[in-house]
Every structure is written in C-alpha cells, then in structure tokens.
Amino acid sequence: MSELLSAPLFAQAQGVVPLDRDPALAQLASDCQACRRCSLGASRLNVVVSRGNPRARLMVIGEGPGAQEDELGQPFVGRSGQLLDLMLESVGIHSNRDAYVCNIVKCRPPENRKPTALEMAACRPWLDQQIALVDPQVILLAGATAVEGLLGIKGGITKLRGQWRQGEGGSLEGRWLMPIFHPSYLLRNPSKERGAPKWLTWHDLQDVQRRLVQLQGPS
Ligand code: URA
C-alpha cells in the first residue's frame, strides 16, 4: 500500500470501488453477518465475505476461511492467500485491484475441515448473489472444493485444473471458469520444475490473464 495515501484513497487512486461503498454488496455483507443458515455460524469469529474490487472482471473463489481469515474477517490473508497473491501478481493481476476474492463458505469450518455438502448448499445463495452483483467474466476456482461447491463436480483437481469451462444456467451463465490447484496444496508442493503443480498453476494463470485481455477487446 502507498505510504502517502490512506487505504480508501489508495483504493480510489487504483480505480477500486471500496466494498463498503457498493450499497448492494454492503447490504449483502451485513446480511451475511446475521446468517445462521448452518452450524458454522455458531463457531465462527467473523463472517468472511470478500476482499478486492467489486467491479473486477475476475472473481477468485476458494474453499472457506482458515484461522487467520476467521480472525481478520477477510478471505485469503494467511499463508495460502499470500502465495495466491504472489502468483497472481506474477501474471500482472493484483488481487485487490483486479479481482474480487471470496469463498464457497463464509464461515470457518472447525479444524479447517472441508465444508460439508449441507454447509456449501446453505451458503450458496450468498455466493450466487455475489456473482450476480460483481458480474465477473472469469471465475478462478481454487481447489477441488471450490469446483465441487460451485459446479457440483467431484473429482481430482489434477484432472480438472487448467481446463476452461463455460458456466451454464443461473448465476454462472456465460461466464468462463478456470479450476486451479489450491494454493495450500502448492505450499506443500513447492517445486517450480516444469510439470510440477506450481509450474502448471503459473501456466493456468497466464491463460486466465490472456482470456481477460481477449474479453476486454480493443480499448
Ligand atoms: N483457503 C481458502 O480456500 N480460502 C481462504 O480464504 C483461505 C484459505
């Protein structure tokens, strides 16, 4: 962040609409604070709704908040979030300026377990609202749970990653979807060698950047 500007002024200078200035998303965030649609509401410290730019053409969806996210109330701010940010930056995408970042479930599952199908289904209407309001052209799905939660497709992320899908129906209609390895998996598999998960993810992210440029058309 700039040392000369406060956070809101810095965001403005970057062309980012602060999340709390978008009335519909601010309303959604406040509705989420009161949510008790599943039992995760009882153990959370904070509801983790989103960070980033509500006008972004790219949405990043992860699995669910971890301990740090639960404490700070922001998605992807722990170690895996830092890696995600670095990898996005390496292809010219600044996560807070060029993306809107959120999760399949908005409350931390105890012990960082995978959210259950019921929890994902209970949280889905919030996610559908976010997608409709932000209206991203491209959605990056970080990890197998994000793919399962959004598309209902269960399977190894190794097979699913790197393959474009086109959303069909509901909030996904017409959007481009790209599954990638979850950054926490990349933290456990740090090799950057050709063909390693990190190398593949970097290529997937380059593909995403190319798609965003392509969709933007001539300026
Ligand atoms: N992992 C996720 O999937 N989401 C977060 O917000 C943090 C870690």
Side-chain angles (χ1 to χ4, degrees), residues 39-61:
S39 61
L40 297 182
S43 55
R44 70 182 179 220
L45 292 177
N46 281 296
V47 182
V48 178
V49 181
S50 66
R51 68 173 171 90
N53 182 355
R55 302 277 180 271
R57 295 186 298 123
L58 172 68
M59 180 180 269
V60 179
I61 304 180

Side-chain angles (χ1 to χ4, degrees), residues 40-196:
L40 297 182
S43 55
R44 70 182 179 220
L45 292 177
N46 281 296
V47 182
V48 178
V49 181
S50 66
R51 68 173 171 90
N53 182 355
R55 302 277 180 271
R57 295 186 298 123
L58 172 68
M59 180 180 269
V60 179
I61 304 180
E63 174 174 321
Q68 269 168 297
E69 288 78 17
D70 187 33
E71 239 169 67
L72 298 173
Q74 294 226 329
F76 280 113
V77 289
R79 279 186 70 221
S80 57
Q82 284 163 22
L83 177 58
L84 177 73
D85 280 3
L86 278 177
M87 294 198 72
L88 286 170
E89 267 166 41
S90 76
V91 299
I93 297 171
H94 186 293
S95 69
N96 281 327
R97 182 194 61 201
D98 305 319
Y100 175 93
V101 182
C102 60
N103 280 305
I104 292 289
V105 295
K106 309 216 167 340
C107 299
R108 182 190 180 199
E111 317 295 329
N112 294 343
R113 64 161 169 73
K114 181 184 161 183
T116 64
L118 273 178
E119 289 159 356
M120 291 196 266
C123 219
R124 179 62 190 256
W126 299 127
L127 184 58
D128 281 331
Q129 272 191 54
Q130 286 176 297
I131 296 170
L133 290 169
V134 175
D135 195 19
Q137 290 176 310
V138 176
I139 301 179
L140 194 58
L141 294 167
T145 305
V147 179
E148 185 182 334
L150 197 72
L151 301 176
I153 299 171
K154 288 191 194 186
I157 191 70
T158 309
K159 288 223 178 90
L160 298 168
R161 61 135 286 276
Q163 315 239 21
W164 284 109
R165 288 169 184 274
Q166 264 206 292
E168 283 172 17
S171 68
L172 300 182
E173 185 66 39
R175 306 188 197 283
W176 288 98
L177 309 159
M178 169 60 85
I180 59 166
F181 285 116
H182 194 281
S184 64
Y185 178 76
L186 301 178
L187 284 172
R188 299 192 296 275
N189 295 275
S191 166
K192 288 184 184 161
E193 264 174 44
R194 189 181 182 82

